[in-house]
Amino acid sequence: MNKLQTLPLPIKIFDEIDSTNLEARRIAEEGDFQEQILLARAQTGGRGRLGRSFFSPNGGLYLSFLLKPHMSPSDAIRLTTAAAVATAQAIDDLCGRESGIKWVNDIYLDGKKICGILTEARFDALAMQYAVVGIGVNIEAPENGFPADIADRAGALFPFGKAPHDAFEQLGYFIASEFLALYEKGLPMDEILPTYRRRSVVLGREIEVFRAVGGEGRRAIAESIDDLCRLLVRYEDGTCEALGTGEISIKL
Ligand code: BTN
């Protein structure tokens, strides 16, 4: 039996789909649903944060957890944080190397973004109806390289043609088991946050803070990550700010 079928949640595997996050939302919006995992080898309409698209060719892993946790809107960040920690660990287990986390939810290897995470949720009267935690990993570099608009910052776990034959199944299994172990324990932040901070590639570094896509950046030093997973920054004029995850992006 395929290792993926031994996970504690049912799993659907697609060769290609528009977006595993969208498919999970469609299932949830139909009504009563089971918590489950959707996994694809390629996406034609991959979705990223802040309304961006997510380049999702063959050679990657595109996974969404469809969940119904009891959570307030302010707690939803725990899902993303746990997903980042679980995925970074899974990547290390597959590659035998140490990946880093760029606040809030990008995973880096050798200075390149190799994974992005997008959590979407529906709340009715502040009660969570469902959450979709979507994770996209570039396992193998595309044969003709990444598109020009991301070529300077995108990377992959392996060069083209060099990934182990079972990398997709292995990585899917590692990510899902690491994440579901944390989820079943109630997403304990006292366990998750120290690992998140230890893996951070931004702490102590100079960054640029962006409030709008394509907007002007503001230089700052990333000083710490607080218990709400906010990034505490000090700007050049000495003022400090705690950045929430919503509309902000940063550049190293
Ligand atoms: C980002 O880097 O902006 C977040 C990217 C999240 C991509 C994943 S791939 C699986 C899931 N399905 C999607 O359409 N998006 C997420």
Side-chain angles (χ1 to χ4, degrees), residues 19-21 43 46-49 54 63 113 116-118 134-136:
S19 151
T20 54
N21 266 32
Q43 297 185 126
R47 295 152 53 82
R49 280 182 75 226
F54 187 74
L63 181 154
K113 174 172 170 175
I117 299 173
L118 173 67
I135 300 166

Side-chain angles (χ1 to χ4, degrees), residues 74-135:
S74 60
D75 266 354
I77 184 65
R78 290 162 52 198
L79 290 164
T80 312
T81 311
V85 164
T87 305
Q89 185 58 52
I91 286 168
D92 294 7
D93 291 345
L94 181 75
C95 302
R97 297 155 72 196
E98 175 102 354
S99 56
I101 301 173
K102 175 178 162 251
W103 183 93
V104 55
N105 52 5
D106 292 339
I107 301 189
Y108 271 61
L109 197 62
D110 298 334
K112 301 280 188 190
K113 174 172 170 175
I114 42 104
C115 166
I117 299 173
L118 173 67
T119 300
E120 303 182 274
R122 174 166 166 181
F123 295 91
D124 288 345
L126 297 188
M128 189 184 269
Q129 304 302 306
Y130 63 82
V132 176
V133 182
I135 300 166

Side-chain angles (χ1 to χ4, degrees), residues 144-218:
N144 299 313
F146 287 96
D149 58 329
I150 55 169
D152 60 334
R153 57 182 190 281
L157 305 186
F158 300 98
F160 177 75
K162 299 282 187 218
H165 73 281
D166 58 353
F168 177 83
E169 286 79 10
Q170 291 281 7
L171 187 61
Y173 178 79
F174 289 152
I175 293 174
S177 19
E178 295 277 355
F179 177 77
L180 293 174
L182 294 171
Y183 184 62
E184 277 160 17
K185 281 194 268 183
L187 303 172
M189 290 312 270
D190 55 342
E191 180 180 330
I192 294 166
L193 270 173
T195 313
Y196 185 91
R197 293 184 183 114
R198 181 178 57 74
R199 285 191 182 270
S200 174
V201 295
V202 305
L203 289 183
R205 305 243 333 242
E206 189 171 287
I207 60 168
E208 263 187 287
V209 178
F210 294 84
R211 276 165 206 287
V213 176
E216 192 126 315
R218 191 171 171 199

Side-chain angles (χ1 to χ4, degrees), residues 1 8 12 35 62 67 72-73 84 118 124 133 141 147 227 243:
M1 200 212 295
K12 287 186 190 136
E35 291 193 319
Y62 312 102
L67 305 168
S72 63
L118 173 67
D124 288 345
V133 182
D227 289 348
L243 304 177

Side-chain angles (χ1 to χ4, degrees), residues 215-233:
E216 192 126 315
R218 191 171 171 199
R219 294 200 162 283
I221 300 289
E223 297 205 316
S224 56
I225 293 165
D226 72 8
D227 289 348
L228 302 175
C229 208
R230 294 178 309 180
L231 184 67
L232 308 182
V233 299

